Amino acid sequence: MTKAFRGEPRAVSAAPIIAHVAKLRQVGISYRRIAELAEISESHVRNFAPTPSRPVPVSWVREALARRILAIPASVELAGDIDRVESRGAKRRLQALVARGWSSPLLAARLGMANANLHSLMVSPPERRIRPALHFAVAALYSELWNQNPPAASSAEQSARTRAINSAVKHGWVPPLAWDDIDIDPAPPEPETGPAEVDHVVFDLALAGQPVTVAVSERASLIYALSDAKRSRSEVAAVLGMTTAAVQARLQRRAA
């Protein structure tokens, strides 16, 4: 939805911006850092944060400002000089690799850490925070292994793979392609039972490059429709307030 008044800049709904600022905060990016990246004041960024006295911060935002904020990826790499970050992304990546058959001893060896410490991380409570260096190391390992099968040449390797998959099933861990955005999705999207219909007004706005907010059940269909309309992954990510990597993961799931 957009609005414009004579002589004033074009305005768009602030809902996607409010949601995106919340995502940026979830991965450890401070209001100050968001302001630096968007080249605006910190107080301006805080206007998009709900408070007890103001649960709906703002309704409209200038289109140019919206684009600048939505262009900031929800990536811990942008957090800057911080001591700890949320462990959710690292935990989910390790859990997803185990669900693919990579055993925790193999992953621990690749990360140079004790297997007991890695297992503790995978089953730790949501509030646990970790060093950024560990997050980066897990993210790099995940990028390398997410679409690779573990070694299974020997009977011992095959048994380790089976134990890993069984452990993942027991804990309810899902493989890499079950996630849209492994860092910020509240939970894995429900399995697709068929294409969800996308409102034509929402599609037209997204096609025109306007930020839109859709239900999780409609997100995949809109990603596919925009991709079929020759929009790039970065363009799709910008209008949906997602990361380019999350859009790519969804498109890979479609092709699988």
Side-chain angles (χ1 to χ4, degrees):
M1 185 180 296
T2 63
K3 70 174 183 177
F5 300 101
R6 183 175 300 174
E8 295 185 1
R10 183 182 175 93
V12 298
S13 169
I17 317 305
I18 294 169
H20 192 61
V21 168
K23 291 179 183 179
L24 297 176
R25 296 286 296 129
Q26 285 175 356
V27 298
I29 304 178
S30 67
Y31 291 119
R32 181 185 217 174
R33 182 64 172 145
I34 295 171
E36 291 175 354
L37 294 169
E39 299 182 343
I40 57 178
S41 69
E42 182 178 343
S43 61
H44 204 155
V45 176
R46 289 181 179 275
N47 286 338
F48 298 106
T51 65
S53 62
R54 192 185 56 173
V56 180
V58 292
S59 300
W60 301 93
V61 60
R62 296 194 314 276
E63 182 179 22
L65 176 58
R67 289 184 178 278
R68 283 155 66 183
I69 294 177
L70 289 174
I72 303 172
S75 170
V76 72
E77 283 84 352
L78 295 177
D81 186 17
I82 55 176
D83 293 328
R84 291 288 187 271
V85 297
E86 286 192 1
S87 63
R88 174 168 48 184
K91 286 167 53 179
R92 287 177 173 180
R93 285 174 171 85
L94 292 170
Q95 292 168 355
L97 291 176
V98 171
R100 190 172 174 84
W102 288 90
S103 68
S104 58
L106 270 178
L107 297 175
R110 294 289 296 268
L111 290 167
M113 61 189 299
N115 182 47
N117 292 340
L118 182 136
H119 181 75
S120 174
L121 171 58
M122 288 194 293
V123 298
S124 62
E127 62 270 15
R128 178 172 177 180
R129 299 178 73 81
I130 60 174
R131 292 176 293 105
L134 178 55
H135 174 93
F136 298 147
V138 171
L141 184 62
Y142 180 83
S143 295
E144 178 186 347
L145 300 181
W146 75 269
N147 62 347
Q148 302 294 319
N149 291 322
S154 68
S155 59
E157 289 173 337
Q158 292 170 10
S159 295
R161 178 181 180 180
T162 299
R163 287 195 301 271
I165 293 172
N166 289 341
S167 177
V169 171
K170 175 184 176 181
H171 287 93
W173 298 341
V174 296
L177 287 180
W179 293 100
D180 277 351
D181 193 318
I182 200 166
D183 283 302
I184 58 180
D185 276 350
E190 292 294 325
E192 295 175 30
T193 57
E197 184 175 350
V198 178
D199 184 277
H200 71 90
V201 175
V202 172
F203 175 72
D204 288 343
L205 287 171
L207 197 62
Q210 298 297 319
V212 297
T213 300
V214 296
V216 172
S217 59
E218 300 174 350
R219 186 167 58 186
S221 295
L222 186 54
I223 290 173
Y224 301 155
L226 292 171
S227 178
D228 292 342
K230 308 303 181 185
R231 294 299 183 266
S232 68
R233 293 189 296 273
S234 60
E235 289 173 325
V236 176
V239 298
L240 288 176
M242 301 172 65
T243 64
T244 303
V247 172
Q248 175 65 15
R250 171 57 74 169
L251 293 174
Q252 287 172 332
R253 190 187 312 174
R254 181 194 196 186

